[in-house]
Every structure is written in structure tokens, then in C-alpha cells.
Amino acid sequence: ALGGCASMMRTEISKERLLLEADRSMAQMALEQGGASAMRAMLAPAASMLARKEGEYVGADQAALAYPAPLQPGDQDIVYWSPEKAWVSADETLGVTTGRYVRTVRGVQREQGRYSTVWRRNETGRWMAELALLGDDTPPPPPILLPSRPSTPAPTSPRKR
């Protein structure tokens, strides 16, 4: 009986690993070809991407608009994500990945956070993202410190004698 459990565990790990690799390959595509190309390749035609700052994008083409164009030599506008965990349904048709993402513009980190992506296998067996959720947790900028004003003494009342 335990041999069956061990075999089942290896299969589940393998399913999860395959989904993680699909997510990682899309992250690599985003680095090499730009975030827009990766979005068009990984999102199903009617997929939704929900970003806290930008709102909802419906469809791969609309979601691609949220990402930098393909990288040019020396270009520093990138989006990168790294999946950390994956879950796959028993029938292997649905999966979820979660991890962290970073976006830089002109070499300056503009956004970072956590993401979750819901995946579905298409007719050819390829994983396609149906829903991507982005949770920006970039620390707020430091407060702007205004120069201090010279203090003026409080008015005094004349003394009575």
C-alpha cells in the first residue's frame, strides 16, 4: 500500500514541477523578448489579469499593453517573476502558481510584489493562464521633508507694575 502512495507522490511532484517549468519559461521569455511577448504567449485569449494599481486587463493583447516592449540592447525596462509553489488538480487540467515579481523601468525598480496565476491545459495539453493576480507590495517612497521654518517667539504681553 505504501508503494502506491510513493508512486502517487512522485506523480504529483512531477505535475507540479511541469507547471512550475511552464511558468519559469514564460518568465525567461519576458526577460529575453519583453513582457508583452510573454503575456501574449501565456495568456488564454479571454484571460484576465488583475493588477492592484492598473485594474483589470481582459485578453492577452490588452494585458500585453501593461508590459514593456521587447528588450533592445542596453534596455533596462524589464518585468521578471519567479514561481515558488504550484498546485495541480487531480485530473491535471487546472493548476495554480504563486511567486514574486519585479518590474523595472529605465533601470529603476518601480514595482515588486506577489502574484498568483490560474492555469488551464488547452486542447493540445499546453498550460495557458486564465487568471493572473498581481499584488504590488512595493514600499511607499519616504516622506518628503519640508524645510523647517525659523521659529518666531511667541508674543508677550506687557508686564504690569
Side-chain angles (χ1 to χ4, degrees):
L2 289 178
C5 274
S7 171
M8 191 168 97
M9 286 181 78
R10 276 195 301 271
T11 302
E12 288 178 23
I13 292 170
S14 172
K15 292 184 296 186
E16 292 169 352
R17 186 170 292 137
L18 289 172
L19 181 54
L20 285 169
E21 286 306 313
D23 199 351
R24 286 185 185 115
S25 71
M26 290 298 113
Q28 188 63 36
M29 177 186 281
L31 280 177
E32 294 170 0
Q33 300 174 28
S37 294
M39 290 300 108
R40 286 188 181 101
M42 71 182 263
L43 291 175
S48 289
M49 183 175 79
L50 302 169
R52 188 170 88 180
K53 286 182 180 176
E54 293 91 0
E56 181 178 15
Y57 297 94
V58 179
D61 288 334
Q62 190 182 20
L65 298 175
Y67 288 92
L71 298 177
Q72 303 301 316
D75 194 353
Q76 297 178 319
D77 292 2
I78 60 169
V79 60
Y80 180 74
W81 61 93
S82 178
E84 297 167 346
K85 294 181 183 177
W87 296 268
V88 177
S89 65
D91 66 359
E92 299 183 41
T93 59
L94 291 173
V96 175
T97 55
T98 65
R100 299 218 30 96
Y101 74 94
V102 174
R103 184 172 181 181
T104 64
V105 177
R106 290 183 286 288
V108 176
Q109 181 176 317
R110 298 287 298 267
E111 191 177 318
Q112 69 178 12
R114 297 207 59 81
Y115 77 91
S116 295
T117 305
V118 177
W119 302 81
R120 181 187 309 270
R121 282 196 190 267
N122 68 10
E123 312 78 47
T124 65
R126 185 167 175 250
W127 287 109
M128 300 295 291
E130 292 287 342
L131 177 65
L133 305 168
L134 306 175
D136 179 3
D137 62 9
T138 305
I144 297 173
L145 299 176
L146 299 174
S148 60
R149 295 184 195 174
S151 59
T152 56
T156 58
S157 57
R159 287 191 209 194
K160 292 184 181 178
R161 290 189 187 191

